[in-house]
Amino acid sequence: MLSYISMAQLLDGKAVRDVLSAELSAKIKTLKSAPTLVIIQVGDRPDSTSYINQKKLLAKKIGAKVMHKHYADSVAQAEILKDIQDFNINDSVHGIIIQLPLPESLDKGALIETVAPGKDVDGLTAANAKFLLESNARGIMPATTRGIISLLEYYKISIAGRRVTVVGRSSLVGKPTAIALLNRNATVTIAHSKTADLKTVCKEAEILIVAMGKAKFITADFVSPGQTVIDVGINALDGKMVGDVDFAGVQSIVAAISPVPGGVGPMTVVSLFQNLVDAYLSSLSK
Ligand code: NAP
């Protein structure tokens, strides 16, 4: 008797990023000037530097500009605040992001709130969070959330009417993603560290989105056949980058899964630049 292990469909974030980048590149060629993103970095965290380098690489590929404002750990809050205010009124700047995490000495919330909502291409200001809550298309969605939605859309995985579980409730990923899916008519459950019987809550979902920051936490006994699994996690394990999902143990059970690396990560970067081009275009209509 023949036996074989079926493999889930791979939701290839790199391939989709390349398709979306080509679209962005074509769009940018039609613009009068290059959309320009300011990236604010404080200190020298190697992970932040690596994320910034990925953003610079993609910007170069599509014809966008990046201005990297790099401050020492000891920088005063007032200095960054003043610079953000200047960028807010500078017409040649279309997007501003603050690379997180920031040193404890700085007030992250106050700095984020200083960014003009129309240039907040990370979608983290209160104004953009409210637009998201209201399902108002004028808002800018956090890049990771936009990336997850685009990945599902690209692979024609329907959202409306489906049961979705989002594991994680951070303001950066879990909550905005849950709201964005709700806005697209999913029936959403948000799970977190106090959720009782997480395994069942995960298994019952048709689409399972995991943003925990816990290496390979979601194993075979958290998933069920037919599911789509989106792994947002980025963790270092034995010198390698792994997700929150035990990919090897889960892929023969579920219908579709995004890998780490090569899933949500590249989608987040391209989504940031989609947000930037949108911000550029809406600045023209002001
Ligand atoms: P976070 O702020 O640390 O939030 C983690 C969430 O997971 C919390 O809501 C926490 O619950 C929940 N959680 C932790 N342990 C749990 C457990 N045992 N059972 C159930 N829930 C648990 O992290 P984040 O910023 O949302 O990021 C999550 C992951 O995504 C990280 O690995 C991060 O590096 C990655 N990430 C990736 C991208 C990308 O582009 N791919 C972008 C952003 C973040 P409580 O609220 O109850 O504590």
XYZ file of all heavy atoms in Angstrom, residues 117-216:
736
model
N -0.390 61.915 11.479
C -1.084 60.680 11.072
C -0.945 60.367 9.572
O -0.810 59.205 9.199
C -2.537 60.952 11.456
C -2.434 61.913 12.608
C -1.239 62.785 12.309
N -0.924 61.391 8.736
C -0.802 61.170 7.293
C 0.573 60.649 6.884
O 0.762 60.167 5.763
N 1.566 60.787 7.774
C 2.920 60.285 7.477
C 3.266 59.066 8.331
O 4.368 58.540 8.261
C 3.949 61.405 7.712
C 3.748 62.597 6.779
C 4.919 63.574 6.808
C 4.602 64.746 5.859
N 5.742 65.663 5.696
N 2.303 58.630 9.142
C 2.520 57.518 10.075
C 2.365 56.193 9.328
O 1.367 55.489 9.469
C 1.491 57.656 11.224
C 1.374 56.423 12.083
O 2.389 55.719 12.258
O 0.250 56.158 12.574
N 3.378 55.840 8.521
C 3.253 54.667 7.647
C 3.409 53.350 8.402
O 3.274 52.274 7.813
C 4.214 54.761 6.433
C 3.723 55.811 5.454
C 5.641 55.062 6.862
N 3.673 53.402 9.707
C 3.609 52.204 10.546
C 2.216 52.045 11.149
O 1.942 51.054 11.832
C 4.637 52.292 11.691
C 5.858 51.404 11.430
O 5.774 50.546 10.534
O 6.875 51.577 12.122
N 1.371 53.038 10.941
C -0.018 52.959 11.407
C -0.170 52.831 12.915
O -1.072 52.153 13.399
N 0.680 53.507 13.672
C 0.669 53.309 15.127
C 0.078 54.466 15.921
O -0.116 54.352 17.132
C 2.105 53.037 15.631
C 2.754 51.755 15.096
C 4.170 51.609 15.639
C 1.914 50.539 15.459
N -0.208 55.591 15.265
C -0.761 56.720 16.020
C -2.219 56.428 16.407
O -2.889 55.589 15.791
C -0.737 58.015 15.182
O -1.463 57.761 13.972
C 0.675 58.459 14.838
N -2.681 57.152 17.424
C -4.062 56.973 17.884
C -5.045 57.255 16.746
O -6.062 56.570 16.602
C -4.334 57.883 19.074
N -4.722 58.252 15.920
C -5.630 58.613 14.818
C -5.787 57.433 13.860
O -6.911 57.090 13.454
C -5.091 59.831 14.073
N -4.681 56.779 13.523
C -4.789 55.640 12.597
C -5.434 54.428 13.265
O -6.146 53.665 12.605
C -3.421 55.310 11.997
C -3.084 56.274 10.868
O -3.933 56.550 10.015
N -1.876 56.813 10.871
N -5.196 54.250 14.558
C -5.848 53.147 15.283
C -7.367 53.354 15.263
O -8.135 52.407 15.085
C -5.332 53.078 16.714
N -7.795 54.611 15.392
C -9.237 54.914 15.388
C -9.831 54.649 13.988
O -10.910 54.075 13.874
C -9.447 56.368 15.821
C -10.898 56.755 15.999
C -11.036 58.010 16.849
C -12.494 58.385 17.075
N -13.083 59.122 15.949
N -9.094 55.081 12.962
C -9.573 54.800 11.600
C -9.758 53.287 11.407
O -10.720 52.834 10.797
C -8.575 55.314 10.551
C -8.660 56.800 10.302
C -7.507 57.577 10.234
C -9.885 57.424 10.104
C -7.580 58.945 9.990
C -9.969 58.793 9.859
C -8.811 59.558 9.806
N -8.793 52.506 11.936
C -8.889 51.052 11.800
C -10.125 50.537 12.535
O -10.896 49.733 11.993
C -7.611 50.402 12.350
C -7.525 48.874 12.254
C -7.569 48.400 10.813
C -6.260 48.358 12.932
N -10.339 51.030 13.764
C -11.523 50.608 14.536
C -12.806 50.931 13.792
O -13.770 50.179 13.842
C -11.549 51.325 15.892
C -10.701 50.728 17.000
C -10.812 51.578 18.262
C -11.141 49.297 17.308
N -12.791 52.066 13.095
C -13.995 52.507 12.385
C -14.096 51.898 10.984
O -15.011 52.211 10.242
C -13.968 54.039 12.234
C -14.157 54.764 13.549
C -13.834 56.250 13.425
O -13.205 56.663 12.420
O -14.198 56.991 14.358
N -13.073 51.107 10.617
C -13.001 50.535 9.275
C -13.019 51.639 8.203
O -13.657 51.512 7.161
C -14.173 49.573 9.057
O -13.921 48.774 7.943
N -12.310 52.715 8.505
C -12.269 53.863 7.600
C -11.018 53.766 6.718
O -9.890 53.722 7.221
C -12.215 55.146 8.456
C -12.269 56.409 7.627
O -11.788 56.440 6.493
N -12.850 57.452 8.192
N -11.233 53.712 5.404
C -10.126 53.494 4.468
C -9.109 54.636 4.465
O -8.021 54.502 3.906
C -10.681 53.286 3.066
N -9.452 55.766 5.098
C -8.495 56.883 5.164
C -7.302 56.562 6.051
O -6.262 57.200 5.973
C -9.195 58.125 5.732
C -9.845 58.976 4.672
C -10.529 60.164 5.313
N -9.597 61.044 6.011
C -9.959 61.866 6.991
N -11.201 61.903 7.404
N -9.069 62.655 7.552
N -7.453 55.585 6.929
C -6.389 55.276 7.886
C -5.234 54.518 7.253
O -5.359 53.971 6.154
N -4.100 54.519 7.954
C -2.950 53.726 7.519
C -2.842 52.536 8.466
O -2.775 52.695 9.680
C -1.649 54.565 7.543
C -1.804 55.820 6.668
C -0.467 53.725 7.082
C -0.593 56.747 6.687
N -2.847 51.341 7.875
C -2.841 50.106 8.664
C -1.411 49.718 9.022
O -0.511 49.912 8.207
C -3.437 49.022 7.753
C -4.103 47.897 8.450
S -4.513 46.629 7.230
C -5.978 47.294 6.522
N -1.175 49.171 10.225
C 0.179 48.698 10.523
C 0.680 47.732 9.436
O -0.083 46.915 8.919
C 0.021 47.983 11.868
C -1.134 48.660 12.512
C -2.077 48.988 11.376
N 1.955 47.879 9.098
C 2.495 47.151 7.946
C 2.363 45.634 8.095
O 2.053 44.937 7.122
C 3.953 47.543 7.735
N 2.564 45.099 9.292
C 2.475 43.645 9.453
C 1.041 43.175 9.197
O 0.814 42.166 8.524
C 2.939 43.227 10.867
O 4.269 43.722 11.048
C 2.942 41.729 11.045
N 0.080 43.930 9.703
C -1.330 43.594 9.481
C -1.657 43.644 7.986
O -2.257 42.717 7.440
C -2.228 44.576 10.272
O -1.959 44.391 11.660
C -3.697 44.351 9.999
N -1.227 44.708 7.324
C -1.487 44.813 5.883
C -0.839 43.638 5.140
O -1.411 43.078 4.213
C -0.961 46.158 5.357
C -1.278 46.372 3.889
C -1.046 47.804 3.431
N -1.441 47.945 2.030
C -1.515 49.085 1.379
N -1.224 50.212 2.005
N -1.878 49.129 0.109
N 0.364 43.271 5.585
C 1.091 42.163 4.955
C 0.346 40.838 5.108
O 0.275 40.045 4.165
N -0.211 40.603 6.279
C -0.951 39.355 6.529
C -2.194 39.301 5.631
O -2.475 38.301 4.976
C -1.346 39.257 8.025
C -0.085 39.073 8.879
C -2.357 38.139 8.266
C -0.309 39.246 10.380
N -2.909 40.428 5.574
C -4.129 40.484 4.741
C -3.755 40.269 3.269
O -4.405 39.501 2.552
C -4.842 41.862 4.906
C -5.181 42.142 6.370
C -6.056 41.997 3.988
C -6.390 41.497 6.924
N -2.691 40.929 2.815
C -2.287 40.791 1.409
C -1.874 39.361 1.087
O -2.151 38.865 -0.010
C -1.103 41.700 1.077
O -1.430 43.038 1.263
N -1.206 38.710 2.033
C -0.776 37.322 1.800
C -2.010 36.419 1.637
O -2.070 35.598 0.714
C 0.089 36.859 2.984
C 0.875 35.562 2.805
C 1.888 35.669 1.664
C 1.619 35.188 4.099
N -2.990 36.595 2.521
C -4.221 35.797 2.413
C -4.936 36.102 1.087
O -5.384 35.194 0.389
C -5.164 36.109 3.593
C -4.693 35.622 4.975
C -5.573 36.205 6.083
C -4.707 34.092 5.043
N -5.008 37.397 0.743
C -5.708 37.772 -0.489
C -5.000 37.202 -1.717
O -5.640 36.707 -2.637
C -5.812 39.300 -0.595
C -6.873 39.860 0.337
C -6.959 41.388 0.345
O -6.074 42.050 -0.266
O -7.885 41.911 0.976
N -3.670 37.290 -1.728
C -2.907 36.817 -2.892
C -3.213 35.341 -3.158
O -3.368 34.922 -4.300
C -1.405 37.024 -2.676
C -0.606 36.623 -3.889
C -0.398 37.514 -4.942
C -0.096 35.326 -4.003
C 0.302 37.130 -6.073
C 0.600 34.935 -5.131
C 0.802 35.842 -6.162
O 1.486 35.453 -7.284
N -3.278 34.563 -2.071
C -3.527 33.121 -2.227
C -5.024 32.799 -2.238
O -5.413 31.638 -2.134
C -2.793 32.333 -1.137
C -1.304 32.243 -1.440
C -0.387 33.091 -0.826
C -0.827 31.346 -2.393
C 0.970 33.028 -1.126
C 0.523 31.271 -2.704
C 1.417 32.109 -2.063
O 2.748 32.040 -2.374
N -5.845 33.848 -2.363
C -7.305 33.694 -2.477
C -7.900 32.871 -1.326
O -8.781 32.018 -1.513
C -7.681 33.086 -3.837
C -7.190 33.943 -5.006
C -7.874 33.563 -6.279
C -7.649 34.486 -7.446
N -6.551 35.419 -7.420
N -7.368 33.110 -0.147
C -7.915 32.468 1.057
C -8.975 33.418 1.597
O -8.653 34.543 2.010
C -6.797 32.195 2.081
C -5.836 31.160 1.490
C -7.381 31.726 3.425
C -4.528 31.032 2.189
N -10.236 32.977 1.512
C -11.298 33.916 1.857
C -11.327 34.163 3.362
O -10.967 33.302 4.166
C -12.641 33.430 1.333
O -12.913 32.186 1.914
N -11.719 35.369 3.715
C -11.712 35.827 5.109
C -13.155 35.950 5.619
O -13.463 35.530 6.731
C -10.971 37.189 5.207
C -9.486 37.015 4.822
C -11.106 37.784 6.618
C -8.719 38.322 4.672
N -14.019 36.501 4.784
C -15.400 36.786 5.222
C -16.103 35.511 5.673
O -16.053 34.482 4.993
C -16.184 37.432 4.076
N -16.704 35.614 6.854
C -17.489 34.494 7.375
C -16.662 33.374 7.995
O -17.226 32.419 8.523
N -15.328 33.489 7.915
C -14.498 32.378 8.434
C -14.168 32.582 9.912
O -14.094 33.714 10.391
C -13.174 32.289 7.656
C -13.289 32.404 6.172
C -13.580 31.157 5.385
N -12.872 29.939 5.680
C -11.718 29.567 5.135
N -11.074 30.380 4.319
N -11.190 28.400 5.414
N -13.916 31.482 10.597
C -13.483 31.549 12.002
C -11.977 31.745 12.038
O -11.218 30.923 11.518
C -13.820 30.238 12.738
C -15.302 30.026 13.013
C -15.497 28.816 13.925
N -14.806 27.635 13.418
C -15.283 26.815 12.481
N -16.462 27.054 11.936
N -14.598 25.772 12.082
N -11.570 32.861 12.634
C -10.141 33.183 12.708
C -9.732 33.285 14.173
O -10.429 33.933 14.964
C -9.827 34.532 12.017
C -8.343 34.856 12.108
C -10.268 34.514 10.557
N -8.628 32.651 14.534
C -8.055 32.873 15.861
C -6.732 33.604 15.687
O -5.882 33.186 14.888
C -7.823 31.541 16.612
O -9.097 30.962 16.900
C -7.062 31.769 17.916
N -6.581 34.704 16.420
C -5.316 35.432 16.453
C -4.713 35.179 17.829
O -5.339 35.500 18.844
C -5.522 36.949 16.239
C -4.188 37.690 16.302
C -6.224 37.223 14.913
N -3.530 34.575 17.879
C -2.883 34.361 19.174
C -1.909 35.514 19.379
O -0.944 35.664 18.614
C -2.138 33.012 19.247
C -1.651 32.772 20.677
C -3.021 31.866 18.782
N -2.164 36.339 20.381
C -1.368 37.549 20.630
C -2.271 38.757 20.566
O -3.166 38.821 19.702
N -2.071 39.687 21.512
C -2.950 40.870 21.557
C -2.138 42.146 21.705
O -2.551 43.094 22.380
C -3.938 40.732 22.704
C -3.267 40.501 24.061
C -4.257 40.502 25.192
N -3.664 39.951 26.397
C -4.311 39.805 27.538
N -5.562 40.184 27.644
N -3.706 39.289 28.576
N -0.934 42.172 21.095
C -0.134 43.400 21.178
C -0.770 44.487 20.314
O -1.503 44.198 19.362
C 1.299 43.143 20.707
O 1.316 42.940 19.315
N -0.458 45.752 20.660
C -0.986 46.875 19.866
C -0.316 46.923 18.499
O -0.832 47.523 17.562
C -0.712 48.202 20.569
O -1.099 48.116 21.891
N 0.853 46.288 18.401
C 1.638 46.326 17.165
C 1.131 45.300 16.151
O 1.108 45.560 14.950
C 3.092 46.005 17.536
C 4.203 46.548 16.676
C 4.236 48.058 16.761
C 5.553 45.982 17.161
N 0.752 44.113 16.617
C 0.396 43.034 15.690
C -0.990 42.425 15.992
O -1.899 42.509 15.166
C 1.445 41.885 15.707
C 1.122 40.874 14.611
C 2.858 42.399 15.558
N -1.147 41.807 17.156
C -2.348 41.014 17.434
C -3.635 41.808 17.306
O -4.536 41.434 16.535
N -3.727 42.922 18.042
C -4.989 43.676 18.036
C -5.308 44.267 16.658
O -6.422 44.071 16.159
C -4.973 44.777 19.094
C -5.325 44.263 20.476
C -5.346 45.410 21.475
C -5.283 44.898 22.888
N -4.777 45.896 23.821
N -4.379 45.000 16.027
C -4.747 45.554 14.712
C -5.090 44.480 13.689
O -5.990 44.663 12.864
C -3.511 46.358 14.274
C -2.417 46.013 15.223
C -3.053 45.463 16.458
N -4.420 43.320 13.771
C -4.706 42.251 12.807
C -6.100 41.692 13.059
O -6.880 41.467 12.116
C -3.630 41.146 12.910
O -2.358 41.754 12.680
C -3.863 40.045 11.906
N -6.441 41.496 14.327
C -7.776 40.992 14.661
C -8.847 41.964 14.168
O -9.856 41.555 13.580
C -7.884 40.777 16.173
N -8.620 43.258 14.371
C -9.622 44.267 13.947
C -9.734 44.294 12.415
O -10.835 44.346 11.861
C -9.240 45.682 14.454
C -9.091 45.729 15.978
C -10.252 46.740 13.979
C -10.345 45.516 16.757
N -8.589 44.233 11.746
C -8.616 44.278 10.272
C -9.386 43.077 9.722
O -10.124 43.200 8.739
C -7.194 44.305 9.716
N -9.229 41.915 10.355
C -9.941 40.721 9.895
C -11.430 40.822 10.214
O -12.279 40.424 9.407
C -9.323 39.475 10.538
C -7.906 39.169 10.010
C -7.153 38.277 10.976
C -7.978 38.533 8.631
N -11.732 41.386 11.376
C -13.133 41.625 11.738
C -13.779 42.563 10.719
O -14.902 42.336 10.257
C -13.185 42.230 13.147
C -14.538 42.620 13.712
C -15.423 41.398 13.908
C -14.356 43.344 15.054
N -13.041 43.613 10.344
C -13.545 44.562 9.337
C -13.826 43.867 8.000
O -14.617 44.350 7.203
C -12.529 45.692 9.103
C -12.425 46.626 10.310
O -13.301 46.612 11.174
N -11.363 47.415 10.371
N -13.108 42.748 7.763
C -13.339 41.975 6.533
C -14.313 40.819 6.788
O -14.315 39.826 6.071
C -12.004 41.475 5.986
C -11.238 42.602 5.298
C -9.761 42.342 5.164
N -9.132 43.519 4.573
C -8.918 44.673 5.216
N -9.273 44.801 6.488
N -8.352 45.692 4.597
N -15.079 40.955 7.857
C -16.191 40.044 8.158
C -15.798 38.640 8.603
O -16.571 37.696 8.436
C -17.179 39.970 6.982
C -17.813 41.325 6.737
O -18.198 42.001 7.691
N -17.889 41.742 5.489
N -14.574 38.504 9.146
C -14.238 37.233 9.793
C -14.905 37.204 11.166
O -15.273 38.248 11.710
C -12.729 37.114 9.945
N -15.036 36.012 11.721
C -15.485 35.858 13.110
C -14.219 35.600 13.917
O -13.592 34.551 13.786
C -16.464 34.673 13.224
O -17.562 34.947 12.338
C -16.974 34.515 14.645
N -13.828 36.610 14.711
C -12.468 36.598 15.260
C -12.431 36.276 16.754
O -13.194 36.836 17.537
C -11.797 37.978 15.034
C -10.358 37.956 15.537
C -11.831 38.366 13.561
N -11.526 35.391 17.111
C -11.211 35.124 18.517
C -9.791 35.617 18.757
O -8.901 35.338 17.944
C -11.263 33.605 18.801
O -12.577 33.135 18.506
C -10.915 33.301 20.257
N -9.607 36.366 19.826
C -8.246 36.813 20.160
C -7.793 36.033 21.389
O -8.425 36.109 22.454
C -8.197 38.327 20.453
C -8.823 39.121 19.297
C -6.752 38.777 20.697
C -8.906 40.619 19.541
N -6.701 35.290 21.246
C -6.177 34.501 22.365
C -4.905 35.154 22.899
O -4.246 35.918 22.189
C -5.888 33.082 21.898
N -4.580 34.860 24.153
C -3.428 35.480 24.823
C -2.946 34.566 25.932
O -3.439 33.422 26.048
C -3.835 36.867 25.351
C -5.144 36.843 26.045
N -5.287 36.363 27.326
C -6.386 37.164 25.602
C -6.561 36.425 27.662
N -7.256 36.899 26.632
N -2.045 35.057 26.757
C -1.421 34.164 27.737
C -2.387 33.698 28.835
O -2.098 32.743 29.537
C -0.205 34.843 28.361
O -0.609 35.954 29.128
N -3.532 34.351 28.964
C -4.497 33.931 29.996
C -5.641 33.112 29.394
O -6.590 32.756 30.095
C -5.093 35.168 30.714
C -4.061 36.133 31.293
C -3.319 35.527 32.470
C -2.372 36.516 33.128
N -1.234 36.899 32.278
N -5.574 32.842 28.108
C -6.640 32.061 27.454
C -6.655 30.638 28.004
O -5.608 29.986 28.072
C -6.392 32.038 25.923
O -6.541 33.368 25.431
C -7.361 31.122 25.194
N -7.843 30.170 28.369
C -7.968 28.789 28.844
C -8.077 27.860 27.636
O -8.729 28.194 26.646
C -9.211 28.673 29.718
N -7.444 26.742 27.692
C -7.475 25.725 26.646
C -7.120 26.291 25.267
O -7.900 26.221 24.316
C -8.862 25.055 26.617
C -8.833 23.766 25.806
O -7.729 23.350 25.376
O -9.911 23.197 25.568
N -5.924 26.852 25.209
C -5.446 27.470 23.952
C -5.482 26.479 22.788
O -5.794 26.854 21.653
C -4.021 28.020 24.169
C -3.398 28.750 22.991
C -4.164 30.028 22.659
C -1.924 29.087 23.266
N -5.178 25.223 23.092
C -5.130 24.220 22.007
C -6.471 24.151 21.270
O -6.518 24.196 20.047
C -4.787 22.845 22.572
C -3.304 22.708 22.845
C -2.941 21.315 23.303
C -1.461 21.322 23.638
N -1.028 20.167 24.401
N -7.560 24.078 22.033
C -8.883 23.983 21.399
C -9.216 25.270 20.647
O -9.725 25.231 19.527
C -9.963 23.683 22.472
O -9.585 22.477 23.120
C -11.337 23.547 21.888
N -8.884 26.397 21.262
C -9.170 27.696 20.622
C -8.419 27.796 19.283
O -8.931 28.340 18.306
C -8.790 28.850 21.583
C -8.894 30.197 20.898
C -9.675 28.824 22.821
N -7.236 27.240 19.229
C -6.454 27.262 17.981
C -7.031 26.262 16.976
O -7.213 26.578 15.802
C -4.987 26.928 18.255
S -4.111 28.236 19.121
N -7.311 25.060 17.459
C -7.807 23.994 16.566
C -9.120 24.365 15.892
O -9.392 23.967 14.767
C -8.056 22.716 17.372
C -6.848 21.811 17.484
C -7.239 20.633 18.389
C -6.118 19.662 18.521
N -6.256 18.440 17.802
N -9.976 25.111 16.611
C -11.307 25.419 16.083
C -11.277 26.454 14.960
O -12.267 26.628 14.257
C -12.205 25.934 17.216
C -12.731 24.790 18.070
C -13.468 25.251 19.315
O -13.489 26.477 19.582
O -13.995 24.394 20.023
N -10.147 27.124 14.799
C -10.079 28.184 13.788
C -9.911 27.599 12.390
O -9.298 26.553 12.218
C -8.894 29.095 14.094
N -10.461 28.326 11.403
C -10.175 27.968 10.008
C -8.892 28.668 9.557
O -8.149 28.157 8.736
C -11.349 28.377 9.120
C -12.596 27.544 9.395
C -13.827 28.139 8.760
O -14.425 29.063 9.362
O -14.203 27.703 7.666
N -8.667 29.863 10.108
C -7.407 30.581 9.858
C -6.795 30.871 11.227
O -7.446 31.468 12.091
C -7.645 31.900 9.088
C -8.334 31.624 7.735
C -6.324 32.646 8.875
C -8.741 32.887 6.970
N -5.557 30.429 11.415
C -4.873 30.610 12.695
C -3.675 31.548 12.478
O -2.796 31.250 11.671
C -4.389 29.246 13.215
C -3.545 29.260 14.488
C -4.347 29.811 15.678
C -3.046 27.837 14.812
N -3.711 32.669 13.195
C -2.635 33.659 13.048
C -1.889 33.732 14.373
O -2.506 33.964 15.420
C -3.214 35.022 12.649
C -3.922 34.828 11.297
C -2.127 36.093 12.580
C -4.505 36.022 10.681
N -0.588 33.507 14.336
C 0.157 33.381 15.585
C 1.205 34.492 15.696
O 2.102 34.601 14.858
C 0.847 32.004 15.679
C 1.417 31.819 17.076
C -0.121 30.881 15.349
N 1.049 35.331 16.704
C 1.999 36.433 16.962
C 2.299 36.472 18.451
O 1.810 37.315 19.188
C 1.412 37.764 16.488
N 3.096 35.503 18.891
C 3.372 35.328 20.323
C 4.794 35.707 20.716
O 5.048 36.128 21.845
C 3.192 33.847 20.718
C 1.855 33.251 20.424
S 1.914 31.437 20.603
C 1.889 31.275 22.367
N 5.726 35.454 19.811
C 7.131 35.636 20.180
C 7.632 34.480 21.034
O 8.452 34.663 21.933
N 7.132 33.260 20.753
C 7.546 32.051 21.488
C 7.951 30.987 20.463
O 7.080 30.438 19.757
C 6.375 31.501 22.336
C 5.969 32.403 23.491
C 6.646 31.945 24.767
C 6.965 33.010 25.764
N 5.983 33.890 26.229
N 9.243 30.714 20.391
C 9.767 29.825 19.350
C 9.054 28.465 19.319
O 8.974 27.774 20.334
C 11.266 29.613 19.571
N 8.548 28.117 18.144
C 7.944 26.786 17.853
C 6.912 26.353 18.890
O 6.776 25.163 19.178
C 9.052 25.732 17.753
C 10.011 25.971 16.596
C 10.937 24.786 16.454
C 11.909 24.967 15.309
N 12.771 23.807 15.140
